[in-house]
Amino acid sequence: MATEKEKMAAAETKSPSNKSNCTSPGKKGDTDDHGLPKKKDNGCDTNLYLYHDEIEDRPRASTFLSSLADYSNTIPTASAADPDAPKPAPPARMGTLIGCYLPCIQNIFGVILFIRLTWVVGTAGAIQGFLIVLTCCCTTMLTAISMSAIATNGVVPAGGSYFMIGRSLGPECGGAVGMLFYTGTTLAAAMYIVGAVEIVLTYMAPWLSIFGDFTKDPEAMYNNFRVYGTGLLLVMGMVVFVGVKFVNKFATVALACVILSITAVYVGIFVNFNGNDKLQLCVLGKRLLKDIHISNCTKNVTGELHQLFCPNNTCDPYYISHNISIVQGIKGLASGVFFDNLQDSFLHEGQYIAYGKEPEDIEQMERPTYNQVYADLTTTFTILIGIFFPSVTGIMAGSNRSGDLADAQKSIPIGTICAILTTSFVYLSSVLLFAGTVDNLLLRDKFGQSIGGKLVVANMAWPNQWVILVGSFLSTLGAGLQSLTGAPRLLQAIAKDEIIPFLAPFAVSSSRGEPTRALLLTMCICQGGILLGNVDILAPLLSMFFLMCYGFVNLACALQTLLKTPNWRPRFKYYHWSLSLAGLTLCISIMFMTSWYYALIAMGMAGLIYKYIEYRGAEKEWGDGLRGLALSAARYSLLRLEEGPPHTKNWRPQVLVLTKLNNELKPKYRKMIAFASQLKAGKGLTVCVSVLGGDFTRRSGDAFMAKQNLRSCMNEEKVKGFVDVLVTHSVAEGLSHFVQTTGLGGLKPNTVLIGWPYGWRQSEDERTWQTFLQTVRSVTAAKMAMLVPKGINFFPDSTEKVSGNIDIWWIVHDGGMLMLLPFLLKQHRTWKNCKMRIFTVAQMEDNSIQMKKDLKMFLYHLRIEAEVEVVEMTDNDISAYTYERTLMMEQRNQMLRELRLNKKETLGMVQNLVDYHEQNAEEKLPLVQAIVDHHHGDVNKTTSKVRFAEPGAEPTVDENAPSPPLSDNEEKDKDDKDDFRSSLLHIIDSMWDSSDERSQCEDAPSLPTEEKPRDANPNGEAVMTKANITPDEGTVRRMHTAVKLNEVIVSRSHDAQLVILNLPGPPRDTKLERESNYMEFLEVLTEGLEKVLMVRGGGREVITIFS
């Protein structure tokens, strides 16, 4: 011991925090009654001698506070099988043409081609109109390339984009995109229905209007669309409900109508190469007029126009100053009108349709509009993109039928891309042909009001306009039926995947296998779209949903390609991640160019569904690409974190919870995990681990079960983190391995939470506290912070709310851990209502007033609110109680050493102990009876398997050696020996209970300090006494520190909700006596406190006054 004390004295000589050196413990001088030096040295202050070993690395709080003016962070830094698996496909019947190409053609060509394309060309001009169509076609082409790569990377059952995105990006993205695709398809049905009604009411049977002349009141026209659209929706819904087979057969008729109509338009354009006189326009100056027969297109005073523009003999100024002219509507390709249609003619709502952009010609000038045609919608390049984009959707039709294709991985890419090339050619050529054939004013007349309500495209066709009118109506009707058939089935597929819980009712099918409930919901949403009543409003809205869907397809392909997922092996080879990113960029750009608020609505809807699935559903593992993205992001972040330790401002406890398990392999102290949750408040890293003793090959099942129990316990406490269980022969070594190896790169725990070994006194196996101390040493060596909660069962649950004080006893400066921990705890609802009180200890030589002032300033700079109190500890002599307590502790250690004797010697010692405790003759009992009675009085006894050493030999315990099988007699002898030894230990431990504990029992026998026990038993064997034990000076001083601090802490913090104080460093000497003494010191230090958190820093600053 003298050698160690000399080292300690030398360490203090180097310590800058002490002004003088300690007197060497080996140096002789004046002593008191207990043999201790009377002269005390300031550097080895008796009141804080328990923390004596810490002073070299961790200055006293008073020393730290005195140097706040030069404060800086100078402490060294620490270095199922898928339940949705596709069913076997039916026998393949269809090839590329029938199964993929023609369905795509039918779905891509839609109502916009017939009723809006000419208006788009006239408004945007040939150049910008061509760019609009080209942009939309490029978007779908890039998406088709990405879709082909995904569709050929394995079998894709029906479900289209929903299935592909869900299996590529995960259930969250899949569900969000599936709902977007469903909403887009439903709104597309509404657009087709409104378009079909528009064709009938505007161009085929205007006399069916029930709200008057809609040519003079646009609202009357939209009301007609709403009423007739609702009726048509009910009829189409009944058709879908009753006969899906009819819908599939009607699709062939609709496809034939589409092909026939487009062919008729092409033929008509070339038939009218030189133009015709069928359509003539009446033009006033440069303005287009409507509702006037061509024979009345004159300025005669008695004519219709004169009476219209000159009411009450007051003529319109524009009418007076401009002439009337008749213009040929279909001029033909030979006329050169193409060059007149090159430039755009974008207008604001209410401006007149006229040649050029002169304000005199296009502005209303607050005059009556008469029968002049004006714009009903503000038009721009981006708005027209949104209106036209639905014309190019429908590219998923082939992938939706993959189960019916003979070779889906061949047919889908070829059929889809060829369909897009075909439709793109038709659209682009139509732009040029329309611009080269039709007059600009007629192209911009959206509803054909200047030609008597006729459809411009129909009047270009050959042989008759009715070919186009009937064909466009039937094809639009067919597209609407397809949407009403497909949307409910998509919704049912999403509901059956069980990723969105509230959709569960829609997974039910009728007795005929039809998704009736989903159909009803689809019709309700579709009715909402019909009530908008305007194709120009519906088209941009549904464009958003399709663009979001296509964007996710491109994102899925780009991610899979960039991440080089091992399973990413598409048969379609003509793709590249840059093409997918270009497609994604186009989709997002078109969304925001068209309508930023519609785009935000669609993205907000997708985000809400994503978060909902993440929170409530998403229990499926589909092997999605986002897992790979998360892995790549984690790898990148870990490599970045590896560059250096975090700055003090970014430090937060990353907790490693060392959990003890009970016999059922469940956490023995659940509140350890609850406390970790309260400390973390849901942030940072939490790793919950446990160690099982034994052989892994035999206990692998136990390890798995323990891990499951830890995981469910963490889930119940709402702690997000990781769990692990290690099986090893030595529990202490296993805990050390966890401390050393848990974490990866920069993502490693920096704080260890370990429970207090409550039964260390009652166990004859010194390993109960050696495991704890070895873990403390391992954590210290790893430069990690350490938290030891004592009285953990009294800590509050995470559901409770406590109020009161959190008391911090700041003995030594430990990097600011004691300041930071209560602040973090107060972030949790459980501790939110508690107040912080900080106590620090002042010695006789310290200026307590200045210390309090400095501490208040320090807390002010730390932005922490707390009450401050400086406790002055008088420099009293070591009390007789302290000396008595130390002697009892030393005697206990000596008795525990005697337990290493053989059974015969132990029996003799027990007899002496029994005699020692006898107070009168009535209490004398035979040895066996005393032990039996004591044994039966302990219902919670646990047996030990430590073997006794032979007489005169050092006891050795081979922890790694497996126990040999025991016979029945051997097992009986072994159990008897264990029972005997446990009983003996309880007798020894009961002798050394504190005087406070003994005084609580009225009948408890007391042993006067002056009375000395007998020195020998009747057999003449020596018995230890207090008189022949001389305690070590350092041990007495440490006990004095523990006693004095405990008195002060209990007097001020006995009613605190939590007491946080510094954990003294473990003894450097690994002898059994020193380790047992250390545990006793901690017991004395925390005596009388219900909830204590002992804290030891990791050797770096964790809190700073700087911003």
Side-chain angles (χ1 to χ4, degrees), residues 24-45:
S24 173
K27 183 178 179 180
K28 296 181 180 179
D30 295 336
T31 59
D32 58 13
D33 296 337
H34 307 302
L36 295 177
K38 289 182 178 179
K39 184 178 179 181
K40 292 177 285 294
D41 195 303
N42 291 336
C44 290
D45 193 0

Side-chain angles (χ1 to χ4, degrees), residues 501-671:
F502 70 81
L503 290 182
F506 300 102
V508 179
S509 299
S510 66
S511 57
R512 296 183 293 110
E514 296 297 323
T516 306
R517 295 181 182 179
L519 175 61
L520 292 175
L521 178 63
T522 302
M523 291 179 65
C524 291
I525 298 175
C526 188
Q527 177 61 29
I530 291 173
L531 292 178
L532 293 175
N534 190 346
V535 171
D536 298 330
I537 297 176
L538 277 169
L541 183 59
L542 68 94
S543 293
M544 297 301 156
F545 296 105
F546 281 115
L547 283 166
M548 282 283 290
C549 183
Y550 295 166
F552 272 106
V553 170
N554 287 298
L555 176 63
C557 181
L559 280 180
Q560 299 274 32
T561 307
L562 288 172
L563 295 175
K564 294 180 169 58
T565 310
N567 192 49
W568 180 244
R569 302 183 300 274
R571 292 185 181 275
F572 181 77
K573 302 298 183 183
Y574 305 101
Y575 68 93
H576 194 266
W577 61 266
S578 59
L579 296 177
S580 300
L581 287 182
L584 174 62
T585 304
L586 267 178
C587 290
I588 297 176
S589 301
I590 292 174
M591 285 177 63
F592 281 94
M593 283 193 305
T594 303
S595 174
W596 63 268
Y597 47 90
Y598 279 169
L600 291 179
I601 290 174
M603 296 178 76
M605 177 180 170
L608 287 175
I609 297 173
Y610 181 96
K611 296 306 292 184
Y612 177 79
I613 296 173
E614 186 180 54
Y615 179 71
R616 292 293 305 275
E619 296 179 356
K620 296 180 179 295
E621 174 56 57
W622 287 342
D624 52 271
L626 282 187
R627 307 295 179 190
L629 178 62
L631 181 62
S632 296
R635 172 182 169 275
Y636 173 78
S637 300
L638 284 173
L639 292 175
R640 289 289 303 274
L641 287 174
E642 192 77 348
E643 294 176 3
H647 191 273
T648 303
K649 292 185 291 185
N650 297 327
W651 193 95
R652 66 168 62 245
Q654 315 288 0
V655 182
L656 174 65
V657 184
L658 304 182
T659 311
K660 187 174 183 180
L661 303 178
N662 58 19
N663 294 332
E664 297 177 354
L665 300 178
K666 294 181 179 179
K668 186 173 182 180
Y669 303 111
R670 290 175 60 94
K671 289 191 177 180

Side-chain angles (χ1 to χ4, degrees), residues 105-106 108-111 113-114 117 254-270 391 419 422-427 429-430 433-434 457 460-462 467-469 471-472 475:
I105 290 287
Q106 178 191 355
I108 294 174
F109 285 133
V111 66
L113 169 65
F114 301 106
L117 185 56
L255 176 61
C257 291
V258 169
I259 297 175
L260 181 63
S261 299
I262 293 174
T263 305
V265 171
Y266 272 101
V267 173
I269 287 175
F270 287 99
S391 290
T422 303
T423 54
S424 298
F425 173 77
V426 171
Y427 284 136
S429 62
S430 296
L433 293 174
F434 291 166
V457 177
M460 281 190 290
W462 180 89
V467 174
I468 300 298
L469 292 175
S472 61
S475 64

Side-chain angles (χ1 to χ4, degrees), residues 276-281 327-330 442 451 454 459:
N276 63 49
D277 297 329
K278 293 180 182 178
L279 300 179
Q280 292 184 326
L281 311 176
V327 176
Q328 187 179 7
I330 307 296
L442 183 56
I451 54 175
K454 296 178 180 179
N459 283 273

Side-chain angles (χ1 to χ4, degrees), residues 171 183 191 253 271 276 297 300 312 326 425 468 524 550 559 603 637 751-752 783 796 845 887 956 999 1044:
T183 307
M191 186 190 72
V253 177
V271 167
N276 63 49
C297 187
N300 294 334
N312 302 323
I326 297 175
F425 173 77
I468 300 298
C524 291
Y550 295 166
L559 280 180
M603 296 178 76
S637 300
T751 305
V752 176
K783 298 189 181 301
E845 69 273 12
L887 285 177
T956 57
S999 64
K1044 291 288 290 181

